[in-house]
Amino acid sequence: KAGVTQTPRYLIKTRGQQVTLSCSPISGHRSVSWYQQTPGQGLQFLFEYFSETQRNKGNFPGRFSGRQFSNSRSEMNVSTLELGDSALYLCASSLDRVPDTQYFGPGTRLTVL
Amino acid sequence: GEDVEQSLFLSVREGDSSVINCTYTDSSSTYLYWYKQEPGAGLQLLTYIFSNMDMKQDQRLTVLLNKKDKHLSLRIADTQTGDSAIYFCAESRMDSSYKLIFGSGTRLLVRP
């Protein structure tokens, strides 16, 4: 069974732009969570989606948003990019809602110049 | 608070055992996880333990849980150079809606 896939793997943007990242969960998994990883703050939870609904949200500004489609694929969007948004964005899927075990994708490395 | 704490660095010789330690915050934690991250990669789930268990063994990996002290450890037997990576422990708590709360990671260096 294929693992979690994320596209693109690498992205370079400039301040003020917006970006959309995509995540395809493991087949049959219905929950998708997003995490941001930076050297300074470590791994921080962004949000969780299940059945196309946001179930939980971390402490991030409204510039960070997401959605989930009927096939469980998820996208996250960051608008008005700031230098501090440079990070590795990780997506995790689980069969059911957390605390079901989460499996992570390889991440999207976003660099904001 | 939400802090899960880990030591930053561990160096061992190939063939020795490695023990990576973690303290978590809440005895009501439901699940406790160990993830491995290699350079440029995502997180690989190694193992997990339910909070009503004391120990779990999976091939070279042994997880020990001390609920009284809120202490979790991961023992890797016969450590290999391919085990060099960053190891994260994470807890999942009902009062945080079960999102994963990660420690800062322990960098394991295996010397030949």
Side-chain angles (χ1 to χ4, degrees), chain A residues 49-85:
Chain A
Y49 285 88
F50 181 80
S51 293
E52 302 177 64
T53 302
Q54 187 181 90
R55 301 291 179 160
N56 195 7
K57 189 177 192 307
N59 296 324
F60 280 82
R63 300 185 297 106
F64 291 81
S65 63
R67 58 179 176 167
Q68 186 181 35
F69 302 95
S70 58
N71 61 357
S72 295
R73 190 177 71 85
S74 177
E75 289 180 347
M76 68 163 280
N77 184 277
V78 188
S79 62
T80 320
L81 284 165
E82 300 177 359
L83 294 179
D85 297 332

Side-chain angles (χ1 to χ4, degrees), chain B residues 5-88:
Chain B
E5 296 188 352
Q6 300 178 239
S7 52
L8 290 181
F9 185 74
L10 176 65
S11 177
V12 300
R13 196 180 303 275
E14 188 175 18
D16 288 349
S17 292
S18 307
V19 179
I20 302 171
N21 295 302
C22 169
T23 55
Y24 59 99
T25 57
D26 196 322
S27 57
S28 70
S29 292
T30 306
Y31 293 73
L32 293 148
Y33 299 88
W34 284 103
Y35 285 90
K36 175 184 178 182
Q37 187 175 38
E38 296 181 84
L43 298 175
Q44 175 193 351
L45 176 67
L46 290 176
T47 188
Y48 59 92
I49 189 168
F50 300 135
S51 55
N52 62 355
M53 298 168 64
D54 297 325
M55 185 183 100
K56 181 178 180 183
Q57 188 155 0
D58 184 0
Q59 299 183 334
R60 293 191 298 124
L61 305 179
T62 303
V63 178
L64 293 176
L65 177 61
N66 180 329
K67 287 193 72 173
K68 174 176 169 290
D69 295 335
K70 300 186 188 116
H71 183 265
L72 180 73
S73 67
L74 173 70
R75 178 178 180 270
I76 306 173
D78 187 26
T79 314
Q80 303 298 306
T81 54
D83 295 324
S84 292
I86 300 176
Y87 291 80
F88 292 93

Side-chain angles (χ1 to χ4, degrees), chain A residues 28-46:
Chain A
H29 284 198
R30 298 186 297 164
S31 174
V32 172
S33 297
W34 289 88
Y35 292 82
Q36 181 197 63
Q37 185 178 25
T38 60
Q41 299 298 317
L43 282 152
Q44 294 187 289
F45 171 78
L46 280 156

